[in-house]
Amino acid sequence: MTVQQHLSASAPPPPVEPGLLSRALDVAGRLANDAAEVITATAGRDHQPGAVAKSNPYDWVTDTDRTLERHTRRVLAAEFPDIPVVGEEYGSDPGAVEAPYRWVVDPVDGTANYVAGFPWCAYSLALVDGAGPVVGVIADPSRAQIYAAARGRGVRANGVPVRVTPRSPVGGLVCAELTVDRAAAFTPRAVAAHVGVRMLGSSALAVTQVALGHAVAAVLDKYREWDVAGALCLAQEAGALVVDGDGRPDRLPAGAMVVAAPGALDEVLGWWLADR
């Protein structure tokens, strides 16, 4: 049995109470719209004090990151007081690991792009339970798009339903966010198969491109939960397939992942695992 066949035969995640799904989608959508307005108004203009590098000169944190995460936390605390929040800038609320649900937010994924004014960054918010993402919303300000998904309810892009169609990877694009060594190993195999590789600096948008059908796959390593949780909800609800770095089915992989359209997973995973 191929990895794709195994995934197709696996049990679906447990359902979630419909009222919670509806409320979570509504609140997350409002927050994504708020974030899109702020990011659009300030992208490329955050070079003033308050925009500083963290672990390296390309790892930025800005006033916009902090402001959007604080706003997100305030709204979620008022609307869902019993659900803890995990965020990139302010860490985890007490009990987040053990809680039945948690919110996961990245206020600006692709902050170096945001600081430079390069139009490839996103706001990401997800509601997660023990089986993976429950609700995911991505704001893509540069394209004036809000992508939203909820478990069992599919995906919408600015209100329009989206669905992944099976396809071969040949002639398509793979979005990658990889370390130098992994990129050096993976890229030649993809190119030899007549597949383009694009590495643009946002894990959330890389996975989202698979959900939208723009890319046949996304390959990532060295990310954090807040980078990918929202986009993984989109991808899975759109019909994409998700495995961890060893090729095992996982709805929220840690450390590395391959996300692919049906028909593309086994070949892309083969390139990924070739040197393992």
Side-chain angles (χ1 to χ4, degrees), residues 30 39 44 49 61 94 105 118 157 190-191 204-205 221-222 231 239 263:
R30 286 190 278 119
I39 292 170
V61 60
V105 59
F118 182 77
V191 171
L205 288 180
D221 63 1
K222 303 299 183 183

Side-chain angles (χ1 to χ4, degrees), residues 3 6-16 21 101-102 104 126-136 149-155 163 207 220 223-260 265:
V3 174
H6 180 67
L7 276 168
S8 300
S10 60
V16 177
L21 281 182
Y101 294 101
R102 64 185 179 278
V104 182
L127 181 65
V128 175
D129 69 4
V134 171
V135 166
R151 185 177 294 170
R153 296 191 181 184
V155 181
R163 187 73 186 171
V207 175
L220 297 86
Y223 53 84
R224 301 296 295 271
E225 182 182 56
W226 49 71
D227 298 321
V228 297
L232 282 173
C233 189
L234 301 179
Q236 289 162 144
E237 285 299 314
L241 306 173
V242 180
V243 296
D244 68 14
D246 295 316
R248 297 172 299 208
D250 192 329
R251 295 184 64 83
L252 187 54
M257 71 172 74
V258 177
V259 182
L265 177 63

